[in-house]
Amino acid sequence: MAAFGWYLLGALPVISGLFLGGWLTQSLGKSVGWYLQRKTSARRKLIQARVNAEEEASHLSRGQTTAIDEADWEKVESYAAGSAANGGQAEKEWEGVVGFFHPFCNAGGGGERVLWAAIRATQKRWPKAVCVVYTGDHDASKTAILQGVQTRFNIHLHPPTVVFIYLQTRYYVLSSTYPHFTLLGQSLGSLILGIDAFSLLVPDIFVDTMGYAFTLALSKFFFPGLPTGAYVHYPTISTDMLGSLDEDGEGINAGTGKGWKGIAKRRYWHMFAWMYSWVGGTVDVVMTNSSWTQAHIRSLWGPNRAKRRKKSEVEVVFPPVAVEELEQAIEISTESEKQRERVLLYVAQFRPEKNHELIIRAFSEMLNLSFGQEATAGAKLVLIGSVRHSDDATRVYDLRLLAHELKIKENVEFICDAPWPEVLSRLRKSWVGVNGMWNEHFGIGVVEYQGAGLVCVVNDSGGPQKDIVIDFDGGPTGFHASTVSEYAARFTDALSMSQDETISMRLRARKSAKRFTEEAFAMQWIMQMEKLMDMQRS
């Protein structure tokens, strides 16, 4: 019965839109929003009082921010200082609540690095702002989460102004909850999660950093004047995804659009794309992690955003990567070349879309075609990735069998769930960094390859092709490939360059990777947040 109640609440915007007129629908939404704001006002005051108390205790125990910390952020602070509309000092003492919607904030992946880097930048720019994270990680306390952020990402947050709101309904956005119609189920389920969030606290600015666009439309239904922002890691559905159903399509759904099931799937995806486009049109400020994602979001959300007269353009804000850490840990020189081995390194979760099979087959073809050549003699392929569950474990087993069938098992090494020191060691010793995923939305791992000085061979699509492995300083920073034969040829090319050519490419790639530092991210994030602050003030 309780589950039915949540579904009913989540479907409220849809039901009202179907059976009531536009004015009545808006009035109903505003009435519910008014109720939610009134209901949560006491909790808001309590949170603010707790923040003030923790802030005071922090000042007494630790004193003011250290000079070293201030120096680290000098560029960010000075950039923000001149970002006011009149060119003068921008208002720094904004004291509102920024809500970050990230139900899996303790997952420890690239998306979480973006979340914590965004909060860190927000704290530095607006020290009195309260950063509220809506999460479903009930098994982790605030202290444990922030300690994990520091350990995993080396990101140090100011604890008093970080608040966690624990949601009870995360079950409704798990893919396992919906064995069929997963995209639609998770998206409608996010409406339930959104109502859960707003029934606990209504923020002054609401930002989704995990891809739940439907919650942003829900916030506009309840609170039309509430500024909303989205950081989009990848579109829930894309034009490429729709095209992949064709017989000559690519990706894990390639060719599945045939027959009555295929036709039904195609129509379902087109219907969902229409819904996704509509909800995306309600978002005030949109950021994407790559040019590839930007192009798809502009295509899907652009027409509806134009109808609603959204002034802010869809902007690319590259995710932060720990390039500086890699630069300090790994040397690039004639001397360091002696420590590198003829190893092709692929760091990626053992998921179907990462296309490990393609890379193994290409490596086998390279060994066969270049047999006897000095450049590829003794070459190895090292696959490092996390194993999430039994399906991933089975996939690793099948890949081992494939290497055995291709008679290259002695040249292929599998490393599951490697700790960061092990990954760092492999990055230091390897020669080539490999990416095999079609239409990777960005490719943080590829940036890490570049920061470590590896020669990159990446899929000729998505973020790695458009944003990362590009010509820089008058020369290439790696190679692109699509088919088994193309990868085999590019692997050979990467291993066959002269030492001078190799070192030059490594250095160009590392210099190019500096476009993706945490500082660069912070500056771009502040620019977009300023837009939301201006909307909230007006």
Side-chain angles (χ1 to χ4, degrees):
M1 191 65 185
F4 176 76
W6 279 115
Y7 273 118
L8 190 61
L9 279 172
L12 181 61
V14 179
I15 295 171
S16 61
L18 288 173
F19 296 103
L20 301 176
W23 180 83
L24 285 175
T25 299
Q26 292 175 12
S27 298
L28 176 60
K30 289 179 181 178
S31 297
V32 175
W34 174 85
Y35 167 75
L36 291 172
Q37 285 180 314
R38 184 177 179 183
K39 176 177 180 273
T40 62
S41 60
R43 177 177 280 109
R44 183 187 178 103
K45 292 177 182 177
L46 181 63
I47 287 173
Q48 189 62 60
R50 186 177 300 165
V51 167
N52 293 340
E54 290 185 14
E55 191 75 80
E56 185 176 350
S58 175
H59 281 299
L60 289 173
S61 62
R62 297 174 57 191
Q64 298 297 321
T65 308
T66 66
I68 294 175
D69 193 38
E70 286 293 344
D72 288 342
W73 284 84
E74 185 178 5
K75 293 182 180 179
V76 176
E77 294 284 3
S78 61
Y79 176 83
S83 62
N86 61 5
Q89 176 71 34
E91 184 180 346
K92 188 173 181 177
E93 300 306 312
W94 190 82
E95 300 183 21
V97 175
V98 182
F100 292 86
F101 193 76
H102 206 106
F104 298 85
C105 76
N106 204 34
E112 286 66 56
R113 175 182 282 276
V114 169
L115 168 68
W116 303 122
I119 291 178
R120 184 187 190 191
T122 303
Q123 286 185 322
K124 287 291 181 179
R125 174 63 185 82
W126 296 280
K128 294 187 178 181
V130 178
C131 297
V132 169
V133 181
Y134 297 96
T135 180
D137 293 304
H138 290 273
D139 58 338
S141 66
K142 174 179 175 176
T143 301
I145 293 174
L146 296 185
Q147 183 60 49
V149 172
Q150 185 173 329
T151 302
R152 292 189 195 107
F153 305 121
N154 196 29
I155 293 177
H156 299 258
L157 300 174
H158 185 55
T161 55
V162 180
V163 176
F164 292 92
I165 298 292
Y166 291 93
L167 308 176
Q168 304 293 329
T169 54
R170 194 172 71 176
Y171 167 83
Y172 291 103
V173 296
L174 297 177
S175 59
S176 58
T177 307
Y178 310 98
H180 306 290
F181 301 102
T182 308
L183 289 178
L184 182 61
Q186 287 182 290
S187 297
L188 295 180
S190 72
L191 294 176
I192 298 171
L193 202 58
I195 291 173
D196 191 3
F198 293 134
S199 67
L200 295 171
L201 182 70
V202 179
D204 297 305
I205 292 172
F206 186 59
V207 183
D208 167 51
T209 52
M210 205 170 175
Y212 294 109
F214 280 63
T215 62
L216 298 169
L218 181 71
S219 70
K220 284 298 183 185
F221 176 68
F222 290 147
F223 321 104
L226 178 68
T228 57
Y231 187 94
V232 185
H233 295 275
Y234 54 90
T236 306
I237 195 165
S238 67
T239 51
D240 284 353
M241 188 174 168
L242 294 170
S244 71
L245 295 174
D246 297 335
E247 193 168 346
D248 58 348
E250 296 187 60
I252 60 176
N253 292 291
T256 58
K258 297 180 293 184
W260 71 267
K261 286 186 177 179
I263 294 172
K265 186 172 188 176
R266 190 185 298 273
R267 289 180 178 176
Y268 159 56
W269 276 11
H270 277 278
M271 178 205 70
F272 181 80
W274 177 86
M275 296 173 65
Y276 186 64
S277 300
W278 187 89
V279 299
T282 67
V283 186
D284 294 315
V285 172
V286 182
M287 297 165 270
T288 65
N289 66 341
S290 68
S291 299
W292 181 86
T293 307
Q294 179 193 50
H296 284 280
I297 289 297
R298 279 178 172 172
S299 173
L300 289 162
W301 291 6
N304 280 299
R305 295 189 80 239
K307 289 178 184 178
R308 293 183 172 92
R309 299 179 181 177
K310 300 295 182 183
K311 297 179 181 179
S312 175
E313 291 291 328
V314 177
E315 300 285 356
V316 175
V317 178
F318 291 125
V321 184
V323 176
E324 298 96 333
E325 179 184 348
L326 291 166
E327 187 175 5
Q328 292 171 4
I330 300 176
E331 180 186 355
I332 299 177
S333 65
T334 304
E335 191 63 29
S336 66
E337 287 296 292
K338 299 175 183 177
Q339 309 301 320
R340 292 195 183 267
E341 303 167 356
R342 298 283 170 167
V343 169
L344 284 70
L345 180 67
Y346 189 14
V347 181
Q349 287 182 328
F350 288 105
R351 305 200 319 253
E353 62 269 26
K354 295 300 182 178
N355 219 347
H356 289 85
E357 180 180 342
L358 170 72
I359 301 304
I360 292 174
R361 292 188 181 280
F363 179 68
S364 174
E365 183 170 312
M366 181 203 75
L367 291 178
N368 291 331
L369 293 177
S370 61
F371 181 76
Q373 294 184 19
E374 183 181 352
T376 59
K380 288 186 64 176
L381 174 64
V382 176
L383 306 171
I384 299 180
S386 60
V387 176
R388 302 165 299 170
H389 41 57
S390 59
D391 288 348
D392 286 353
T394 301
R395 194 167 297 111
V396 172
Y397 177 76
D398 291 339
L399 292 171
R400 290 181 188 273
L401 285 180
L402 176 63
H404 180 78
E405 291 169 5
L406 294 173
K407 297 180 173 57
I408 58 170
K409 68 173 185 176
E410 300 301 325
N411 299 83
V412 181
E413 183 179 359
F414 293 83
I415 304 175
C416 299
D417 300 318
W420 173 245
E422 169 74 4
V423 176
L424 188 62
S425 174
R426 296 287 180 158
L427 287 169
R428 183 181 292 110
K429 294 187 295 185
S430 297
W431 200 276
V432 175
V434 181
N435 159 269
M437 180 177 172
W438 174 70
N439 270 346
E440 178 101 58
H441 44 90
F442 178 65
I444 287 178
V446 178
V447 178
E448 290 177 341
Y449 294 157
Q450 290 189 328
L454 274 66
V455 176
C456 295
V457 179
V458 302
N459 198 274
D460 193 18
S461 66
Q465 184 260 342
K466 290 181 180 294
D467 295 319
I468 304 175
V469 182
I470 60 173
D471 286 355
F472 192 83
D473 270 2
T477 57
F479 301 92
H480 303 133
S482 296
T483 65
V484 168
S485 296
E486 288 176 0
Y487 269 102
R490 299 296 83 76
F491 290 161
T492 303
D493 292 341
L495 293 170
S496 302
M497 293 188 296
S498 69
Q499 185 178 83
D500 287 345
E501 289 175 324
T502 301
I503 292 175
S504 294
M505 183 175 285
R506 295 194 199 283
L507 290 172
R508 279 196 304 272
R510 172 171 282 183
K511 189 174 181 181
S512 174
K514 292 181 179 180
R515 295 176 293 133
F516 311 109
T517 62
E518 292 180 353
E519 182 184 295
F521 169 82
M523 289 183 177
Q524 291 297 317
W525 176 266
I526 288 170
M527 283 184 65
Q528 302 309 312
M529 284 298 295
E530 283 281 8
K531 299 175 184 178
L532 293 170
M533 298 289 181
D534 290 342
M535 292 177 195
Q536 197 274 333
R537 294 184 190 111
S538 62

